Amino acid sequence: MSGDLVQALRRRMSGAVLADEPLARYTTLRVGGPAVALVRAETVDDLVAVAQVCVEHDARWLVVGRGSNLLVADAGWPGVAVVLGRGFRGVEITPADAAATATPGAVVDVVAGAAEPMPVLATRVASAGVGGLAFGVAIPGTLGGAVRMNAGAHGRELSEVLVWADVVRLADGATAQRLTCDELAMGYRTTALPADAVVVRAQLRLATDDPERIAADMAAMRRWRRERQPVNEPSCGSVFRNPDGDSAGRLIEAAGMKGHTVGGARVNEVHANFITVAPGARAADVHAVIRDVQAAVHARFDVVLHPEVVVVGFDAHEARTVGASRSDA
């Protein structure tokens, strides 16, 4: 069946289709087994093809994005993994001419493809003298991923600047929808975006600002990350959401879990809300550390930590144990 699935995808897609492709290559944790097929969608028609083929072959799909918030089991993903290619990149800034944006505080609309990495997008708009997205330099994922989880950093969230997102609903035959920020019901690291919705484009409303001030803010954020986060080690970023009125990192450290290690995965000594991996680590190691941290914090403080990281490919009991959201369809 897997061979038929791959061949059907190759016949209908313009983008690349890879069989038994290790997903460790596509996640920032650098762990995880293969997908039956990995497709690089370059057009909406490619997404339509994925939807149709998955329905015909009773296959599940998984949107990988940049893989910065994803833990894939060592057994891999028993379906189609989707990565958005360069066809879903690009940035349009309106108004585009310098004279129209010379006044500080002038409204600027930015429309960008969902595959744009947030640090690249933040740098691009900053170079045009547009402020309001400097915090994006500290978000390791793509714009599409940032929309899905209402990503944020340094006290800011994407919901503060998002106007709308264009999505393709795979379960509905790849129908297109435009959802406003209000319709997305964006909360702390969460949205009402359906599991089958693939973000393909989004509009942000920003404003002009002093380029030197923007550059200084972004430099300060980069410096803060280098000093306080393990930026040079494989990780998935912050593992847990902050509980109301507290910090997940503080709770983990106070529970004595900083440095806790299982196999090749450990709670990082620089920032306790990061799990970093050594060469040879397995997804099962990361999964075990997540469970151990949850158990320790609950035993010490009676607080349940909920993961930000999406866990896929594990059995239903394992996924429920960590309380992770599921992105399979």
Short mmCIF file of all heavy atoms in Angstrom, two decimals, residues 280-324:
data_model
loop_
_atom_site.label_atom_id
_atom_site.label_comp_id
_atom_site.label_asym_id
_atom_site.label_seq_id
_atom_site.Cartn_x
_atom_site.Cartn_y
_atom_site.Cartn_z
N GLY A 280 22.85 10.61 18.80
CA GLY A 280 22.40 9.26 19.13
C GLY A 280 21.15 9.21 19.98
O GLY A 280 20.66 8.11 20.30
N ALA A 281 20.63 10.36 20.39
CA ALA A 281 19.42 10.38 21.20
C ALA A 281 18.24 9.84 20.41
O ALA A 281 18.20 9.91 19.18
CB ALA A 281 19.13 11.80 21.67
N ARG A 282 17.26 9.31 21.13
CA ARG A 282 16.04 8.80 20.52
C ARG A 282 14.85 9.67 20.92
O ARG A 282 14.88 10.35 21.94
CB ARG A 282 15.79 7.36 20.96
CG ARG A 282 16.92 6.38 20.63
CD ARG A 282 16.55 4.98 21.12
NE ARG A 282 16.22 5.02 22.55
CZ ARG A 282 15.29 4.25 23.12
NH1 ARG A 282 14.59 3.40 22.38
NH2 ARG A 282 15.07 4.32 24.42
N ALA A 283 13.82 9.60 20.11
CA ALA A 283 12.59 10.31 20.47
C ALA A 283 12.04 9.78 21.79
O ALA A 283 11.48 10.53 22.60
CB ALA A 283 11.56 10.16 19.36
N ALA A 284 12.20 8.48 22.04
CA ALA A 284 11.73 7.89 23.29
C ALA A 284 12.43 8.51 24.49
O ALA A 284 11.83 8.63 25.57
CB ALA A 284 11.95 6.38 23.27
N ASP A 285 13.68 8.92 24.34
CA ASP A 285 14.40 9.58 25.43
C ASP A 285 13.75 10.92 25.76
O ASP A 285 13.53 11.26 26.93
CB ASP A 285 15.87 9.81 25.05
CG ASP A 285 16.62 8.53 24.76
OD1 ASP A 285 16.20 7.47 25.25
OD2 ASP A 285 17.64 8.60 24.03
N VAL A 286 13.45 11.70 24.71
CA VAL A 286 12.81 13.00 24.92
C VAL A 286 11.44 12.82 25.56
O VAL A 286 11.07 13.52 26.50
CB VAL A 286 12.68 13.75 23.58
CG1 VAL A 286 11.99 15.10 23.78
CG2 VAL A 286 14.04 13.95 22.93
N HIS A 287 10.70 11.85 25.06
CA HIS A 287 9.36 11.57 25.58
C HIS A 287 9.42 11.21 27.06
O HIS A 287 8.59 11.66 27.87
CB HIS A 287 8.75 10.43 24.77
CG HIS A 287 7.27 10.30 24.89
ND1 HIS A 287 6.68 9.43 25.77
CD2 HIS A 287 6.26 10.94 24.25
CE1 HIS A 287 5.36 9.51 25.65
NE2 HIS A 287 5.09 10.42 24.74
N ALA A 288 10.43 10.40 27.43
CA ALA A 288 10.58 9.99 28.83
C ALA A 288 10.93 11.18 29.72
O ALA A 288 10.42 11.29 30.85
CB ALA A 288 11.66 8.92 28.94
N VAL A 289 11.77 12.08 29.24
CA VAL A 289 12.11 13.27 30.02
C VAL A 289 10.87 14.13 30.24
O VAL A 289 10.65 14.67 31.33
CB VAL A 289 13.24 14.07 29.34
CG1 VAL A 289 13.47 15.40 30.06
CG2 VAL A 289 14.54 13.26 29.34
N ILE A 290 10.07 14.29 29.20
CA ILE A 290 8.83 15.07 29.34
C ILE A 290 7.96 14.48 30.44
O ILE A 290 7.46 15.19 31.33
CB ILE A 290 8.06 15.11 28.01
CG1 ILE A 290 8.82 15.94 26.98
CG2 ILE A 290 6.65 15.68 28.22
CD1 ILE A 290 8.20 15.92 25.59
N ARG A 291 7.77 13.16 30.40
CA ARG A 291 6.93 12.51 31.42
C ARG A 291 7.53 12.67 32.82
O ARG A 291 6.81 12.94 33.79
CB ARG A 291 6.77 11.01 31.11
CG ARG A 291 5.99 10.74 29.83
CD ARG A 291 5.50 9.29 29.80
NE ARG A 291 6.57 8.33 30.11
CZ ARG A 291 7.33 7.74 29.21
NH1 ARG A 291 7.17 8.03 27.92
NH2 ARG A 291 8.25 6.87 29.56
N ASP A 292 8.84 12.50 32.94
CA ASP A 292 9.49 12.62 34.25
C ASP A 292 9.34 14.03 34.81
O ASP A 292 9.09 14.21 36.01
CB ASP A 292 10.97 12.27 34.13
CG ASP A 292 11.21 10.79 33.85
OD1 ASP A 292 10.26 9.99 33.96
OD2 ASP A 292 12.37 10.45 33.52
N VAL A 293 9.50 15.03 33.96
CA VAL A 293 9.36 16.42 34.40
C VAL A 293 7.94 16.69 34.86
O VAL A 293 7.70 17.30 35.92
CB VAL A 293 9.78 17.39 33.28
CG1 VAL A 293 9.34 18.81 33.60
CG2 VAL A 293 11.29 17.34 33.07
N GLN A 294 6.97 16.23 34.08
CA GLN A 294 5.57 16.43 34.48
C GLN A 294 5.29 15.79 35.83
O GLN A 294 4.63 16.40 36.69
CB GLN A 294 4.63 15.83 33.43
CG GLN A 294 4.53 16.62 32.15
CD GLN A 294 3.64 15.95 31.13
OE1 GLN A 294 3.79 14.76 30.86
NE2 GLN A 294 2.70 16.69 30.58
N ALA A 295 5.79 14.57 36.02
CA ALA A 295 5.54 13.87 37.28
C ALA A 295 6.19 14.58 38.46
O ALA A 295 5.59 14.72 39.53
CB ALA A 295 6.05 12.43 37.18
N ALA A 296 7.42 15.06 38.27
CA ALA A 296 8.14 15.72 39.36
C ALA A 296 7.48 17.04 39.75
O ALA A 296 7.34 17.35 40.95
CB ALA A 296 9.59 15.96 38.95
N VAL A 297 7.07 17.84 38.77
CA VAL A 297 6.43 19.12 39.06
C VAL A 297 5.06 18.90 39.71
O VAL A 297 4.69 19.60 40.65
CB VAL A 297 6.31 19.96 37.77
CG1 VAL A 297 5.41 21.18 37.99
CG2 VAL A 297 7.69 20.39 37.30
N HIS A 298 4.34 17.89 39.24
CA HIS A 298 3.04 17.61 39.84
C HIS A 298 3.19 17.15 41.29
O HIS A 298 2.43 17.56 42.18
CB HIS A 298 2.29 16.56 39.03
CG HIS A 298 0.88 16.35 39.48
ND1 HIS A 298 0.51 15.32 40.32
CD2 HIS A 298 -0.25 17.05 39.23
CE1 HIS A 298 -0.78 15.39 40.57
NE2 HIS A 298 -1.27 16.42 39.92
N ALA A 299 4.17 16.29 41.54
CA ALA A 299 4.39 15.79 42.90
C ALA A 299 4.83 16.91 43.85
O ALA A 299 4.43 16.94 45.01
CB ALA A 299 5.43 14.67 42.88
N ARG A 300 5.63 17.82 43.34
CA ARG A 300 6.18 18.88 44.20
C ARG A 300 5.22 20.05 44.38
O ARG A 300 5.09 20.60 45.49
CB ARG A 300 7.50 19.38 43.58
CG ARG A 300 8.16 20.55 44.30
CD ARG A 300 8.76 20.13 45.62
NE ARG A 300 9.51 21.22 46.22
CZ ARG A 300 8.97 22.22 46.92
NH1 ARG A 300 7.66 22.27 47.09
NH2 ARG A 300 9.73 23.17 47.43
N PHE A 301 4.49 20.43 43.32
CA PHE A 301 3.68 21.65 43.37
C PHE A 301 2.19 21.43 43.06
O PHE A 301 1.42 22.38 43.09
CB PHE A 301 4.23 22.68 42.37
CG PHE A 301 5.64 23.09 42.64
CD1 PHE A 301 6.67 22.63 41.83
CD2 PHE A 301 5.95 23.92 43.71
CE1 PHE A 301 7.98 23.01 42.07
CE2 PHE A 301 7.26 24.30 43.95
CZ PHE A 301 8.29 23.84 43.14
N ASP A 302 1.80 20.20 42.74
CA ASP A 302 0.43 19.89 42.35
C ASP A 302 0.01 20.74 41.14
O ASP A 302 -1.12 21.21 41.05
CB ASP A 302 -0.53 20.13 43.52
CG ASP A 302 -1.89 19.46 43.28
OD1 ASP A 302 -1.93 18.45 42.55
OD2 ASP A 302 -2.91 19.97 43.80
N VAL A 303 0.94 20.92 40.23
CA VAL A 303 0.70 21.67 38.99
C VAL A 303 0.93 20.74 37.81
O VAL A 303 1.93 20.01 37.77
CB VAL A 303 1.65 22.89 38.88
CG1 VAL A 303 1.52 23.54 37.50
CG2 VAL A 303 1.36 23.90 39.97
N VAL A 304 -0.01 20.73 36.87
CA VAL A 304 0.14 19.93 35.66
C VAL A 304 0.73 20.81 34.56
O VAL A 304 0.15 21.83 34.19
CB VAL A 304 -1.22 19.37 35.19
CG1 VAL A 304 -1.04 18.61 33.87
CG2 VAL A 304 -1.81 18.46 36.26
N LEU A 305 1.89 20.43 34.06
CA LEU A 305 2.52 21.15 32.95
C LEU A 305 2.00 20.58 31.64
O LEU A 305 2.03 19.37 31.41
CB LEU A 305 4.04 21.02 33.00
CG LEU A 305 4.76 21.74 34.14
CD1 LEU A 305 6.26 21.50 34.03
CD2 LEU A 305 4.46 23.23 34.13
N HIS A 306 1.55 21.47 30.76
CA HIS A 306 1.04 21.06 29.45
C HIS A 306 2.07 21.39 28.38
O HIS A 306 2.53 22.53 28.28
CB HIS A 306 -0.27 21.78 29.15
CG HIS A 306 -1.37 21.43 30.11
ND1 HIS A 306 -2.04 20.23 30.05
CD2 HIS A 306 -1.88 22.12 31.17
CE1 HIS A 306 -2.94 20.19 31.02
NE2 HIS A 306 -2.86 21.31 31.72
N PRO A 307 2.43 20.41 27.55
CA PRO A 307 3.47 20.65 26.54
C PRO A 307 3.01 21.60 25.44
O PRO A 307 1.84 21.61 25.04
CB PRO A 307 3.72 19.26 25.95
CG PRO A 307 3.20 18.30 26.96
CD PRO A 307 2.04 19.00 27.60
N GLU A 308 3.96 22.41 24.96
CA GLU A 308 3.76 23.14 23.72
C GLU A 308 4.11 22.25 22.54
O GLU A 308 3.53 22.36 21.46
CB GLU A 308 4.67 24.39 23.67
CG GLU A 308 4.28 25.51 24.59
CD GLU A 308 5.15 26.74 24.38
OE1 GLU A 308 5.77 26.85 23.29
OE2 GLU A 308 5.21 27.58 25.28
N VAL A 309 5.09 21.38 22.73
CA VAL A 309 5.56 20.52 21.65
C VAL A 309 4.45 19.56 21.25
O VAL A 309 3.73 19.02 22.08
CB VAL A 309 6.84 19.76 22.07
CG1 VAL A 309 6.59 18.86 23.28
CG2 VAL A 309 7.40 18.94 20.92
N VAL A 310 4.30 19.36 19.94
CA VAL A 310 3.32 18.42 19.39
C VAL A 310 3.97 17.05 19.28
O VAL A 310 5.07 16.91 18.74
CB VAL A 310 2.82 18.90 18.02
CG1 VAL A 310 1.89 17.87 17.39
CG2 VAL A 310 2.12 20.24 18.15
N VAL A 311 3.31 16.04 19.83
CA VAL A 311 3.84 14.68 19.88
C VAL A 311 3.07 13.82 18.89
O VAL A 311 1.84 13.71 18.99
CB VAL A 311 3.73 14.11 21.31
CG1 VAL A 311 4.19 12.67 21.35
CG2 VAL A 311 4.54 14.96 22.28
N VAL A 312 3.75 13.19 17.94
CA VAL A 312 3.06 12.37 16.94
C VAL A 312 3.78 11.04 16.75
O VAL A 312 4.99 10.92 16.96
CB VAL A 312 2.98 13.09 15.57
CG1 VAL A 312 2.20 14.38 15.68
CG2 VAL A 312 4.37 13.37 15.00
N GLY A 313 3.00 10.04 16.35
CA GLY A 313 3.54 8.72 16.06
C GLY A 313 3.61 7.80 17.26
O GLY A 313 3.88 6.61 17.11
N PHE A 314 3.39 8.33 18.47
CA PHE A 314 3.35 7.50 19.67
C PHE A 314 1.95 6.89 19.78
O PHE A 314 0.99 7.40 19.20
CB PHE A 314 3.65 8.34 20.91
CG PHE A 314 5.05 8.87 20.95
CD1 PHE A 314 5.38 10.05 20.29
CD2 PHE A 314 6.05 8.21 21.64
CE1 PHE A 314 6.67 10.55 20.31
CE2 PHE A 314 7.34 8.70 21.67
CZ PHE A 314 7.66 9.87 21.00
N ASP A 315 1.83 5.80 20.55
CA ASP A 315 0.50 5.22 20.69
C ASP A 315 -0.38 6.12 21.54
O ASP A 315 0.09 7.06 22.19
CB ASP A 315 0.56 3.79 21.23
CG ASP A 315 1.07 3.70 22.67
OD1 ASP A 315 0.76 4.61 23.48
OD2 ASP A 315 1.78 2.72 22.98
N ALA A 316 -1.68 5.85 21.52
CA ALA A 316 -2.64 6.75 22.16
C ALA A 316 -2.37 6.92 23.64
O ALA A 316 -2.48 8.02 24.19
CB ALA A 316 -4.06 6.23 21.94
N HIS A 317 -1.97 5.85 24.33
CA HIS A 317 -1.70 5.94 25.76
C HIS A 317 -0.50 6.84 26.03
O HIS A 317 -0.52 7.68 26.93
CB HIS A 317 -1.45 4.56 26.36
CG HIS A 317 -0.99 4.61 27.79
ND1 HIS A 317 -1.82 4.96 28.83
CD2 HIS A 317 0.24 4.38 28.34
CE1 HIS A 317 -1.14 4.93 29.96
NE2 HIS A 317 0.11 4.58 29.69
N GLU A 318 0.56 6.67 25.24
CA GLU A 318 1.75 7.49 25.42
C GLU A 318 1.45 8.96 25.19
O GLU A 318 1.90 9.83 25.93
CB GLU A 318 2.86 7.03 24.47
CG GLU A 318 3.43 5.67 24.81
CD GLU A 318 4.39 5.19 23.73
OE1 GLU A 318 4.11 5.42 22.54
OE2 GLU A 318 5.40 4.59 24.08
N ALA A 319 0.67 9.26 24.15
CA ALA A 319 0.34 10.65 23.85
C ALA A 319 -0.50 11.26 24.96
O ALA A 319 -0.30 12.41 25.34
CB ALA A 319 -0.40 10.74 22.52
N ARG A 320 -1.46 10.50 25.51
CA ARG A 320 -2.28 11.02 26.59
C ARG A 320 -1.44 11.27 27.84
O ARG A 320 -1.70 12.19 28.61
CB ARG A 320 -3.41 10.04 26.92
CG ARG A 320 -4.57 10.07 25.95
CD ARG A 320 -5.79 9.40 26.54
NE ARG A 320 -5.51 8.02 26.92
CZ ARG A 320 -5.64 6.98 26.10
NH1 ARG A 320 -6.05 7.17 24.86
NH2 ARG A 320 -5.38 5.75 26.51
N THR A 321 -0.42 10.43 28.05
CA THR A 321 0.41 10.56 29.24
C THR A 321 1.07 11.92 29.30
O THR A 321 1.14 12.55 30.36
CB THR A 321 1.49 9.45 29.26
OG1 THR A 321 0.85 8.18 29.26
CG2 THR A 321 2.36 9.57 30.49
N VAL A 322 1.54 12.42 28.17
CA VAL A 322 2.19 13.73 28.17
C VAL A 322 1.20 14.86 27.92
O VAL A 322 1.55 16.03 27.98
CB VAL A 322 3.34 13.82 27.14
CG1 VAL A 322 4.41 12.79 27.44
CG2 VAL A 322 2.82 13.68 25.73
N GLY A 323 -0.04 14.52 27.61
CA GLY A 323 -1.06 15.55 27.40
C GLY A 323 -0.81 16.39 26.17
O GLY A 323 -1.22 17.54 26.11
N ALA A 324 -0.12 15.84 25.20
CA ALA A 324 0.26 16.62 24.02
C ALA A 324 -0.90 16.74 23.05
O ALA A 324 -1.75 15.87 22.96
CB ALA A 324 1.46 15.97 23.32
#
